[in-house]
Each structure stands twice: as structure tokens, then as C-alpha cells.
Amino acid sequence: MRCEGNPFSRRGFLAAGALGGIGLSLPELLMRQAMAEQKHYDFVEAKAKSVIHVYLPGGMAQQESFDPKPYSPLEYRGEMRTIKTNTGEVFGEAVPQLAKRADKFSVIRSMTHGEAAHERGTHNMFTGYKPSPALRYPSFGAVVSHEYGPRNNLPPYVCIPNVPNEFAGTGYLPSSYGGFALGSDPAQSGFKVRDLDLAGGVDADRFMRRKEALAAVNKSFVSATAADNVGAMNTFYERAYSLLDTPAAKEAFDIDKEDAKMRDRYGRNQAGQRLLMARRLVEAGTRLVTLTYGGWDMHANITRSFKSQMPALDTALAALFDDLTERGMMDETLVMVSSEFGRTPKINNDAGRDHWPKVFSVLMAGGGIKGGMIHGASDSTAAEPEDHPVSPADLATTMYRLLGIVADKELMAPGDRPIEIVDGGKLIEPLMV
């Protein structure tokens, strides 16, 4: 459990300064601030042990997925039909498996921000912050790695198959908190994670001698310089040694150890095998897995593109929810499916939809999230939020709270500058168990 209040936060000292005008001493100010924080937050136990963040690059259309508009004119609703869910809601026809399991997850239909460029929208959805020319913010995975570190000698933050974009990095945090990338796709024949086996001709004794020699060299470098890259490499080596020395941790990356029927159940494709690998990793101890699937920047022929890409994801997510439930992991694993923005309300002249950050949908499940709920709503043409708008900061704050991380805790940026993990986000309380 973690204390969900920071008596030394920026806003905490502002409050203390106001009280200082009535003549209280510094110890008294700090005591009152600590008591106030205790009253507001008390102790918060993490609901989720791990996160699987499924990111759909390009901007997935809300109208063809989780927020269809069947009663709007054809040029707005598009060509695709709708399907009833097991909760009585309506989804797009391309997600029949998820529609049968709508009671297992919730959908936010009122996500919103103001960034219509891919890079800027991606920054929002990986950090919870608007882009800034003055500072690069850390990704969700880097923050989780910083706050919790490794578990069971597994990397705390893993990217499948690679680090997906420049905003999935460590930002102002040391680079040692970066994501471990698999380096290849688990859907490929002969898939193998790079750097998890000893080089040819290197036995255990020789490995230990090399490890001791490198440790001596690293000690000399670290004592001579405070450069981030040197310390980061030292951390990376130590974690790599721990992984190589732990057979159970290494085995989590070996998807061939998975039952063939389970692999078939997820789907022998990118969506299926990436999600299955994510489940293996969080089950073994990884704290946050980020994976990407597909390309959702559908400026043309959106109906054909959606029908091509969505079925594999629909099958794989349904299998993931069933698998997590059967293993007793659903309540401790937070699954989040997001994209950088949505698509325009009106179909364009190329039968596609263009960028639209004003409103879009995000799916959340497990790890302290209620099932079977729709939070917020868009208007009749999916153009703007109609009620309960949710910002990237709100989403990030909620995710961190479910992990037991204090969202307004201050981390230190270069120059000893305190920066809150998330600035101004609000909990999406109706979705939380």
C-alpha cells in the first residue's frame, strides 16, 4: 500500500504558505499539511498489479468500433452495421466477440483533447501531458518502472515488439527506466527474443568471469562520471544478468512453451500472439506491457480497412479477457485499449475519415475497473463529448491510482525541477470498483 497524498507537493507548499500568514511555525505547518493529506487520501491499496496497454496507432474510428451512430445520416454513420452487446449496448459489427463479452470491460466514449497531429496526440496518450517544447515527459511504462522496479527479475516495462514511438520512452527520467523491447514479433515463425541466451561458446563459468570483469570496469566509469548513459547501462547490465540467471523469467518470453490450443484461441497472427505474449509477461511479473497492433489511419476505404484489421483484434481481446478470467488474473490486471485520437464525424470523398481529437473511445477492463459500463457520451454524430468529457490526464490519473501510484507525486526533472507525474487529472470514479 502507498500513501495517496504528498505533503511536499507543489500545491501542498502553496497551502502551507497561506497558513504561514497566521503565524504557525514550519513544523506546525508540515504537521497540518500531513494531517490534511491524510484526511483527503488516507492509504490506497493498488487494485492492479500489472497493466497491458494495447495501443492502436493511427487513430481508431469511434464510429466503426465502440460508438456507432446508427440513427445519423449515412454520410456520418458510415456503411457498417451495428451489433447488440450482451449488456444491451450497441457496437460496430466488426467486434462480435467483444460484443458477447461487453460485461467484462467498460468503454469511455468521451475521451477528448485538442491535438490533431499524430505525434502530438500520441504524446498525450502515452504520458497524460500536452506536448511541451521545454520538457519531454516520461511514458506510463517509464513511470511505473521508476516507482516499482523489477519483479521476479522480469523487466518492469516491456514493449511488444519494439518501443512503439519516441513518446514511449523515459522523458526526463533516467534512461535506465526505459522499456525492454522484444526485437521481433512473436507471431513470426522461429520467434526469439534477442539477448536472452548466452553467446555461442560461452558457458556458465565463462559468463561469470565476464560479468565480474565488466562489473569492475563499470565501477570505475560510474565513479568517474555522473552521466546518465553510464549509470543506465550499468542498470541494464545488472537487470540483464538477473534475467539470464532466472530460468523462470526467461521462460516467460518463450511463447513456444504455450499450449498450442491457447495460441490458436488467441489467433496465430500479430494481434493474437502479441496479446498472448503480454499475458505471459504480466503473469510472470512484468508490471506494464505496451503493445501495438495495426494501422488505423484510415483516410480512405474505412469500411474495407476496418473489416480487414479488426477481426483479429476482436478475437484476441476476447481471448485475453477469457484467459485472464480463467486464470484468476482479471481483477489484478488492468487492460487499456487506446489510440491517439478518433476520426471525423463525416465520411470524406475517399470513403474514409480524417483525424479528429475532439472525441473518441478508449476501452478499459480488469484491475479495479467495473465491467459492462459506458462512461460519457458523444453527440449524435460523434463530433464532441455530450457529457462527462475525459482528458488524457484523467485517464492517466485513474490508471496510476489503480496501480497504487500517487498521480500528483513530484518527480525531479533536470535542474532539480519538481514535476508532477500527472498535472490536474481527475479520477474517473464511476468506472472504478
Side-chain angles (χ1 to χ4, degrees), residues 154-166:
L154 265 295
Y157 173 29
V158 176
C159 299
I160 303 175
N162 292 298
V163 179
N165 55 69
E166 60 183 308

Side-chain angles (χ1 to χ4, degrees), residues 33 60 62 139 165 183 247 344 352 356 389:
Q33 180 63 30
M60 184 184 70
Q62 64 275 25
S139 66
N165 55 69
T344 48
W356 195 256

Side-chain angles (χ1 to χ4, degrees), residues 40-82:
H40 280 98
Y41 298 107
D42 204 4
F43 288 94
V44 176
E45 184 174 5
K47 298 285 187 180
K49 293 181 179 179
S50 304
V51 176
I52 296 175
H53 181 198
V54 182
Y55 191 71
L56 308 178
M60 184 184 70
Q62 64 275 25
Q63 303 91 331
E64 277 72 24
S65 57
F66 302 110
D67 190 15
K69 299 297 177 182
Y71 304 113
S72 62
L74 178 62
E75 62 268 30
Y76 290 92
R77 71 175 182 264
E79 300 174 328
M80 295 183 69
R81 297 187 297 272
T82 59

Side-chain angles (χ1 to χ4, degrees), residues 193-214:
V193 179
R194 63 187 177 197
D195 303 329
L196 283 190
D197 293 302
L198 298 177
V202 178
D203 58 19
D205 290 339
R206 189 175 180 189
F207 171 68
M208 288 303 298
R209 290 196 299 272
R210 287 185 173 186
K211 178 180 176 181
E212 291 168 358
L214 184 60

Side-chain angles (χ1 to χ4, degrees), residues 120 123 129-138 171-172 413-415 417 419:
R120 295 178 68 84
H123 182 283
Y129 269 92
K130 295 178 181 179
S132 166
L135 189 66
R136 177 159 291 188
Y137 296 96
Y172 59 75
R417 178 184 175 188
I419 304 292

Side-chain angles (χ1 to χ4, degrees), residues 309-364:
Q309 287 198 58
M310 183 54 88
L313 181 62
D314 176 52
T315 297
L317 280 172
L320 176 68
F321 294 149
D322 290 347
D323 194 11
L324 290 174
T325 301
E326 292 162 8
R327 292 172 184 271
M329 296 173 57
M330 192 71 177
D331 290 342
E332 62 187 35
T333 306
L334 177 63
V335 180
M336 183 167 67
V337 183
S338 69
S339 199
E340 61 259 48
F341 41 57
R343 312 304 294 187
T344 48
K346 196 171 184 179
I347 298 287
N348 63 26
N349 292 333
D350 294 317
R353 298 184 191 269
D354 302 316
H355 303 177
W356 195 256
K358 289 185 179 180
V359 70
F360 57 108
S361 297
V362 165
L363 182 154
M364 299 185 80

Side-chain angles (χ1 to χ4, degrees), residues 51 53 126 138-146 149-151 154-160 162-170 175-182 236 239 253 281 285-291:
V51 176
H53 181 198
F126 267 83
S139 66
F140 300 150
V143 171
V144 171
S145 178
H146 177 272
R151 179 171 54 199
L154 265 295
Y157 173 29
V158 176
C159 299
I160 303 175
N162 292 298
V163 179
N165 55 69
E166 60 183 308
F167 310 114
T170 59
S175 54
S176 57
Y177 299 110
F180 176 85
L182 301 191
F236 279 131
R239 290 182 179 175
F253 291 93
L281 290 171
T286 296
R287 297 187 185 276
L288 188 145
V289 176
T290 290
L291 67 94

